[in-house]
Amino acid sequence: MSEETVSPPVEPTGGLSFGVRGLHCASCVNTLEKKLLEHPAINTAIVNLATETGFVRFDSLQLTASEIFNIVHAAGYTPVELHAADTSQDDDLSSQRNWFLFSLAASLPIMLTMGLHSNSAARQISLVLATAVQFSAGLIFYRGAWSALKNGSTNMDVLVALGTSAAYFYSLAAYFGLLGTHRDVFFETSAMLIAFIRLGKYLEARARGKASEALKKLVHLQADKARLVTENGEKEVPASVIRVGDVVLVRAGEIIPVDGEVLEGGGAVNESMVTGESLPVLKKPGDTVSGATVSTNGVMRIRATRIGEATLLAQIIKMVREAQGDKAPIQKFADTVSAWFVPIVILLSAATFVVWYTVYASGFLTAFRFAITVLVIACPCAMGLATPTAIMVGSGIALGRGILVKKGSALEIISRLNVLLLDKTGTLTRGTPEMTDLVPVTRSVDPAKLLECLATAEAYSTHPLAQAALTAAREAGVEPGHADNFEERAGLGITCSYGGFQLAVGSERLMSELGISLTPLAKKVEALTAAGKSLIYVAAGNALVGVAAFADSLRPGSIAAVAALRRMGITTCMITGDHADVAAIVAKQAGVDTFEAEVMPDRKLEVVKEFQNRGMIVGMVGDGINDAPALAQSQIGIAIGGGTDVAKETGDIVLMRSDLMDAVRALVIGRATLSKVKQNLFWALFYNVLGIPVAAGLLSRHGIYLKPEYAGLAMAFSSVSVVLNSLLLKRIEKSL
């Protein structure tokens, strides 16, 4: 292991994420976490076996990132910067493959000459090849075992080193006649053990790579080059040299290199990497774009607003890494078992030898082989990989649907959800008013002319209802005219002159002040008001000519999402600061179980606590800003609509597409992930419960026993099976 310390970037926030080389099993994870937490300035240390990463929260006034890396080195592991971790994973895969091929090539001749132990040349070849394998391909296990023992702990490397060393050195002693004449050698045991374990490590590394595909795809999305617009024309430069304020040119088919604002031109942009939505989004001047999205047509000049680590893609990558490095609560069980696992296995191995040698008087070699088999079949790796690999795959599936899981533990917590609180405005509803009705006072009034008068009066107003009226006019192809004597009366409405008439557009109070009777539309107005809609009256001269109704309509999919949540056994409760009558209408339309209206943000927090005090696991879906206290208090906060401000969201999960159905999908993914974790833990424990007695020879009288080398192969495949089982999670993608 190299003693050279990598110089990490300084993170003044007191949080450091990094890659870790040299992790072999759950015991390694426990050892490194324990060593890190021994330092008084470190209050959080999370090491993830599946992603081979570490995360530390520390007091930056007492400790530097370089010193943390030194602690990792001293514990016997190699820290690497995250941007180099992906390369190191590829290198590790190649290394594992090459060592396996070498150890297999060296072991096969030993296996083929097993029956020729009386032949001097065959014995010499076996000795040379076994020695080469033991102290080259097997050297990594000695290093790992020494690091663990030096730190006062044990790990899988200790078991492998003990098992292979026992077989090799016994055979070596027998070869030189130190154990008496006619003692058999079994060099093939140690050599094939190492070869099979190396095979398992290679397959495990490959499977881990598949589990982390979602993150790798994100990392490789970043543009390498950009077309910088200068006074002298266009110039192709590395994307890393672009600075905030620079203007870049993006043509059809090119990757947008930075987050920015469209200055000129436009076109469709594929934003599937951000939202999971496959349909391109049309961009025009003034719109924002995200780096790593792809322009599918058109030409755009874009001013850079965010670069490097500040871009949306960089934020997402960071959050995904942190989520995959986070520990789910169920992982504590595996950690507890792993801490005691290796010492117990060593004791069981010793007990196996003693029982076979003394009680059954079976002979030294038989007892010895059973003891070695017990050592090598036991594997804490499978338990260490059970939770993080499932979370890695689950969060990757979510990411592909535009669901950003910011904490790995969120997938377990959401699966246990009892109550989901839903903010109304911007969550169940669109968050902006829309014109739903335009009612002329009589049939003789042309609706298009009525809309023109409404739009003309509202053309200069910034009120949300005025903007909704203008939007409705544009969609209908109606252009506002030019009004004179424009006057906006605060809280009442607008008066102006247009087409030879004095127009008045506004509230009931404005009509009352102007002496305009509302009686002709009284019944219609009563129905619209009962539906919870906001009204704008339109009068020309001294007569009412019509009324426009506005409402914050439900988002597409809200009704279906609430219905799906109820079918899944989740209680839904809408909480809003809106009036009770409006809230009642929206709650009925959406189909929620209950609602609470006219609440302030602090009351939303109290509602969360009230449900929690009743022993329920509470989730909150909100916009991540005014709902921040409730999102933070709930066991699982779901922020709807991340966009470019995704890093500011309070939620544990961010729905990038602002689609409430994605909350249902997150719940489905969470439940499937927890189910897979439980399966993994069951099979990891079942494997050891079944494997160790077989390895100890309890079934040998029935002709069922294991050679040490095949026990090593079984041990290796137990870890691979856990990772492959986690990959089966991907089957739920079709049902989302």
Side-chain angles (χ1 to χ4, degrees), residues 2-244:
S2 171
E3 294 300 324
E4 183 179 339
T5 302
V6 180
S7 180
V10 176
E11 293 194 17
T13 56
L16 178 67
S17 297
F18 53 93
V20 185
R21 289 180 181 174
L23 296 173
H24 297 135
C25 66
S27 298
C28 296
V29 171
N30 292 333
T31 298
L32 183 52
E33 287 180 347
K34 182 180 176 182
K35 282 294 175 184
L36 287 165
L37 289 171
E38 283 178 359
H39 198 289
I42 297 176
N43 54 56
T44 302
I46 299 173
V47 179
N48 189 301
L49 178 61
T51 58
E52 296 184 307
T53 58
F55 173 75
V56 172
R57 196 174 300 283
F58 61 100
D59 183 349
S60 56
L61 297 178
Q62 299 183 48
L63 191 65
T64 66
S66 294
E67 290 170 329
I68 292 172
F69 274 30
N70 289 336
I71 295 172
V72 177
H73 263 298
Y77 306 96
T78 305
V80 293
E81 295 178 24
L82 276 181
H83 66 76
D86 297 309
T87 304
S88 69
Q89 277 189 345
D90 294 336
D91 293 342
D92 180 57
L93 185 62
S94 298
S95 175
Q96 294 289 3
R97 181 195 62 211
N98 294 339
W99 278 120
F100 161 64
L101 292 175
F102 166 76
S103 53
L104 180 65
S107 300
L108 285 175
I110 305 176
M111 293 288 289
L112 295 174
T113 58
M114 280 174 59
L116 303 175
H117 287 170
S118 58
N119 183 290
S120 177
R123 285 163 61 93
Q124 287 177 1
I125 291 172
S126 296
L127 170 62
V128 171
L129 292 177
T131 302
V133 173
Q134 188 74 26
F135 299 105
S136 59
L139 199 58
I140 188 174
F141 303 115
Y142 287 115
R143 288 172 177 163
W146 170 244
S147 293
L149 294 172
K150 188 171 62 173
N151 289 308
S153 64
T154 53
N155 62 6
M156 188 201 78
D157 289 334
V158 172
L159 298 180
V160 175
L162 280 174
T164 59
S165 297
Y168 172 78
F169 286 109
Y170 174 89
S171 298
L172 188 66
Y175 176 86
F176 287 109
L178 300 179
L179 303 177
T181 57
H182 306 299
R183 283 289 186 178
D184 223 350
V185 298
F186 51 104
F187 286 117
E188 73 280 353
T189 297
S190 61
M192 291 305 293
L193 255 176
I194 292 170
F196 284 149
I197 293 171
R198 280 291 190 177
L199 172 61
K201 286 296 180 185
Y202 168 61
L203 294 176
E204 184 183 313
R206 281 195 64 182
R208 285 191 200 181
K210 290 184 181 295
S212 61
E213 276 177 357
L215 183 57
K216 285 184 177 179
K217 286 178 182 177
L218 279 182
V219 172
H220 292 115
L221 279 174
Q222 288 138 318
D224 296 323
K225 297 184 180 299
R227 191 174 284 106
L228 179 64
V229 178
T230 66
E231 294 178 356
N232 300 321
E234 303 166 18
K235 183 171 69 171
E236 192 172 272
V237 298
S240 58
V241 307
I242 300 297
R243 295 291 175 260
V244 173

Side-chain angles (χ1 to χ4, degrees), residues 430-436 463-469 471 534 550-553:
R430 294 181 183 274
T432 54
E434 296 177 331
M435 193 174 79
T436 58
H463 193 280
L465 296 185
Q467 294 301 308
T471 300
S534 302
F550 299 83
D552 182 6
S553 60

Side-chain angles (χ1 to χ4, degrees), residues 643-659:
T644 54
D645 292 323
V646 63
K648 299 176 184 176
E649 298 292 353
T650 314
D652 306 305
I653 295 175
V654 180
L655 310 182
M656 304 293 286
R657 296 189 299 183
S658 302
D659 182 357

Side-chain angles (χ1 to χ4, degrees), residues 402-404 406 420-431 555-558 561 620-628 631 636-646 648-664:
I403 304 166
L404 179 58
K406 293 169 63 179
L420 190 61
L421 307 182
L422 304 165
D423 179 45
K424 179 182 79 70
T425 306
T427 300
L428 282 169
T429 67
R430 294 181 183 274
R555 286 182 181 274
S558 288
M620 169 73 191
V621 186
D623 62 14
I625 302 169
N626 61 336
D627 298 313
L631 284 167
I636 185 77
I638 304 173
I640 191 162
T644 54
D645 292 323
V646 63
K648 299 176 184 176
E649 298 292 353
T650 314
D652 306 305
I653 295 175
V654 180
L655 310 182
M656 304 293 286
R657 296 189 299 183
S658 302
D659 182 357
L660 194 57
M661 275 303 296
D662 282 341
V664 178

Side-chain angles (χ1 to χ4, degrees), residues 517-538:
S517 173
L518 304 181
T519 304
L521 287 174
K523 288 186 178 180
K524 186 64 178 177
V525 165
E526 185 179 349
L528 293 172
T529 303
K533 297 183 179 182
S534 302
L535 305 180
I536 291 181
Y537 297 93
V538 182

